[in-house]
Amino acid sequence: MFNTYDPGDFYDELFVSRGVPRPEAELLVQRISNISIDELMLRQQMAQNMLFKLGVTFNVYNDNQGTERIFPFDVVPRVVPSEEWQWLERGLKQRIETLNCFLDDIYNDQKILKDGIIPREVIESATGFLKPCLGIKPPKGIWCHITGTDLVRDRNGNWYVLEDNLRCPSGVSYVLENRRVMKGAFPALFEALNINPVDAYPSQLLASLLHLAPDTMPDPQVVLMSPGIYNSAYFEHSFLAQQMGIELVEGRDLVVADGYLQMKTTKGLKRVDVIYRRIDDDFLDPLTFRPDSMLGVPGLMDVYRQGRVAIANAPGTGVADDKMVYSYVPDMVRYYLGEEQLIPNVPTYLCENAQQQNYVLGHLDELVVKATNASGGYGMLVGPHSTDPERDAFADQIKANPRGYIAQPTLCLSRVPALINSEFQGCHVDLRPFILHGEDIYVNPGGLTRVALKKGSLVVNSSQGGGSKDTWVVAATAS
């Protein structure tokens, strides 16, 4: 069935060239080629139906087609050879260790600012830098407990870190449920291939959260705090709480009493020791952050400062998500670890720098421009696919708010075959591995492969029409 598939002038994750699969994907290509297109379409529909029955959904805000959607799923997996994954894992662990050192430093001693490695104004102008978090020492010295780091490949197959997600990274539920439906769709393949399992993630997450509780506490109470059913990732909140066997709560279920955070139950108040929060910093505590927040708990930050509750991720981690701060990560790695960064950043132009801004404004048709504090594919200009009016509007925005924008070269993202309209089409992908920082740093093998299902599109976000694939970490010699 792959006879007509042309990888084109891109790095293809399954094929070296037309008709020649990569060693780690050879058996997968062979087995899929032995299935009729009608049978494969049927298995794709079965997988999509199963995800629908499982309730694997996401919400799109300000959308008039309804709030809840099924996350599109493509049945052709992405394959990563195990030796390549081992290198990625080392690079991700290095990055998380660095970002944790950075967060602890800027909210305490600020040595990296005093030594001039990062300009002070870069940090203090970041919307994610929260002054109420200055002087805080989180339990066990860990700030970034759960991270989703977005990776991409270029035309030559080189890996880059596209961005960091340290506040409330989402998507791991799709990783787990995609694997579940793929095992149902292709059971024989899972018997034949040595595919790294991903289903240890919930137990690893729970262990990371329990690690934050005082060592002397015999039975810590852990809860997952959600904004509620209208949040875009509510399915994931309920799924992870169920998988870990912990309570799913909202701010209205919690109260500060007797100096501790407590949960309302039918038997009265019960102390909470660890919160896995899936709510933005600004809404956590109306007494400390946004006074109009109806989602948080008044007084929560006071309890946190006193070390009487642990919060994952720690408040204030969003400063490391800032796309301008991202550009300084290579300097951070050298400063804190005395090493060179393993997985490089995408080259980045800072619009706040007059010389770099001039270059960006003169090359808007070639670059990707991003708002430094946006996510989800919003606040972005993809230069080669933009119109003159769109470029003019972005030029005005950059001039009015240089700190608010960065620009990067338009990478030719790697592609994977996707089954669309009964044929295979090459679609661009990225990869979001999930990293946990508890007693040790754990990288879940695989991650969420997001795929741009619109022909020629480089935007993989679900809110922008993207879907997902299962990600298989396999040995190249599998047979």
Side-chain angles (χ1 to χ4, degrees):
M1 284 195 301
F2 286 106
N3 291 341
T4 60
Y5 177 70
D6 183 6
D9 188 25
F10 299 95
Y11 185 93
D12 193 277
E13 301 282 346
L14 295 190
F15 288 89
V16 177
S17 59
R18 189 164 185 160
V20 182
R22 297 190 180 279
E24 63 275 6
E26 192 169 352
L27 184 57
L28 169 67
V29 170
Q30 177 189 328
R31 293 294 181 92
I32 290 180
S33 296
N34 291 334
I35 304 172
S36 70
I37 193 69
D38 290 338
E39 174 65 19
L40 195 60
M41 289 290 290
L42 179 62
R43 295 193 192 191
Q44 170 127 326
Q45 189 58 52
M46 287 171 58
Q48 196 73 52
N49 291 344
M50 189 173 186
L51 290 170
F52 177 78
K53 291 176 181 176
L54 291 168
V56 183
T57 61
F58 69 98
N59 295 338
V60 179
Y61 301 126
N62 303 319
D63 184 84
N64 58 13
Q65 298 179 27
T67 57
E68 201 168 50
R69 291 188 191 174
I70 300 299
F71 197 18
F73 176 71
D74 186 75
V75 77
V76 182
R78 182 216 201 116
V79 177
V80 181
S82 58
E83 59 272 20
E84 191 167 24
W85 180 257
Q86 290 167 9
W87 176 79
L88 287 173
E89 188 175 277
R90 290 197 303 274
L92 291 168
K93 287 181 176 181
Q94 178 197 59
R95 194 172 186 94
I96 298 310
E97 184 180 357
T98 298
L99 290 174
N100 196 71
C101 291
F102 162 72
L103 289 163
D104 194 58
D105 185 18
I106 62 162
Y107 284 114
N108 288 280
D109 296 335
Q110 298 191 338
K111 292 179 181 177
I112 199 166
L113 306 185
K114 294 171 183 175
D115 289 343
I117 306 300
I118 302 177
R120 181 174 294 275
E121 58 271 18
V122 168
I123 302 302
E124 294 184 346
S125 63
T127 57
F129 179 65
L130 304 179
K131 289 185 178 179
C133 295
L134 289 168
I136 283 178
K137 290 288 188 182
K140 309 294 173 70
I142 303 171
W143 289 80
C144 45
H145 312 86
I146 304 106
T147 309
T149 300
D150 290 344
L151 305 176
V152 293
R153 279 194 204 258
D154 68 3
R155 190 189 297 275
N156 299 316
N158 299 314
W159 288 99
Y160 292 90
V161 174
L162 186 64
E163 63 182 52
D164 302 291
N165 298 281
L166 278 77
R167 273 172 284 196
C168 304
S170 64
V172 74
S173 60
Y174 304 129
V175 174
L176 301 175
E177 293 292 54
N178 286 353
R179 178 59 55 86
R180 181 174 171 182
V181 300
M182 283 295 285
K183 284 182 175 179
F186 297 97
L189 263 175
F190 279 87
E191 292 177 6
L193 283 164
N194 183 22
I195 304 168
N196 284 18
V198 297
D199 51 8
Y201 183 87
S203 60
Q204 291 282 352
L205 174 58
L206 181 59
S208 297
L209 296 171
L210 289 170
H211 176 67
L212 303 178
D215 296 332
T216 55
M217 189 165 292
D219 187 22
Q221 178 71 43
V222 182
V223 301
L224 191 153
M225 183 181 179
S226 169
I229 61 172
Y230 297 109
N231 183 264
S232 62
Y234 183 73
F235 163 76
E236 179 157 297
H237 304 169
S238 57
F239 174 83
L240 289 175
Q242 184 269 332
Q243 291 289 304
M244 289 188 286
I246 64 176
E247 296 289 341
L248 177 65
V249 301
E250 298 178 28
R252 60 187 175 181
D253 301 317
L254 303 172
V255 65
V256 172
D258 300 325
Y260 291 93
L261 183 68
Q262 311 229 26
M263 176 174 56
K264 301 171 187 174
T265 75
T266 55
K267 297 180 180 178
L269 296 179
K270 184 174 183 180
R271 177 176 162 178
V272 172
D273 304 296
V274 182
I275 300 176
Y276 174 23
R277 55 103 173 191
R278 295 298 297 261
I279 175 173
D280 286 343
D281 295 344
D282 287 349
F283 297 95
L284 277 173
D285 182 347
L287 299 183
T288 301
F289 302 117
R290 286 183 55 156
D292 61 341
S293 172
M294 303 294 290
L295 302 175
V297 185
L300 171 59
M301 286 299 293
D302 286 338
V303 179
Y304 179 60
R305 287 189 195 96
Q306 293 162 13
R308 295 183 174 183
V309 68
I311 302 176
N313 283 335
T317 50
V319 65
D321 289 356
D322 187 283
K323 293 177 177 62
M324 190 171 179
V325 174
Y326 152 96
S327 68
Y328 289 93
V329 171
D331 299 316
M332 296 180 201
V333 175
R334 285 188 286 270
Y335 184 76
Y336 293 115
L337 304 186
E339 302 170 358
E340 290 301 315
Q341 183 174 252
L342 288 175
I343 312 175
N345 282 10
V346 176
T348 302
Y349 300 98
L350 306 180
C351 293
E352 193 174 55
N353 178 290
Q355 185 176 354
Q356 294 182 36
Q357 182 189 129
N358 287 336
Y359 178 84
V360 170
L361 293 175
H363 297 79
L364 283 175
D365 59 331
E366 304 171 13
L367 301 169
V368 176
V369 181
K370 300 177 182 179
T372 55
N373 197 43
S375 61
Y378 297 102
M380 183 167 74
L381 176 80
V382 182
H385 297 170
S386 64
T387 63
D388 287 339
E390 287 171 339
R391 291 194 290 273
D392 290 343
F394 259 80
D396 290 341
Q397 293 170 37
I398 289 169
K399 292 173 188 174
N401 179 24
R403 170 62 176 84
Y405 293 92
I406 57 98
Q408 296 171 330
T410 306
L411 296 181
C412 291
L413 302 185
S414 65
R415 302 200 310 188
V416 181
L419 188 59
I420 301 174
N421 298 326
S422 300
E423 66 176 10
F424 293 112
Q425 297 181 18
C427 293
H428 296 289
V429 293
D430 76 354
L431 179 63
R432 177 176 290 183
F434 290 89
I435 308 102
L436 301 174
H437 190 345
E439 188 171 3
D440 299 303
I441 298 177
Y442 166 79
V443 184
N444 193 245
L448 178 64
T449 288
R450 300 184 299 178
V451 53
L453 293 174
K454 293 180 181 178
K455 191 170 183 178
S457 174
L458 296 173
V459 183
V460 300
N461 305 81
S462 58
S463 56
Q464 308 292 312
S468 70
K469 291 174 171 285
D470 196 9
T471 308
W472 293 1
V473 176
V474 302
T477 56
S479 59

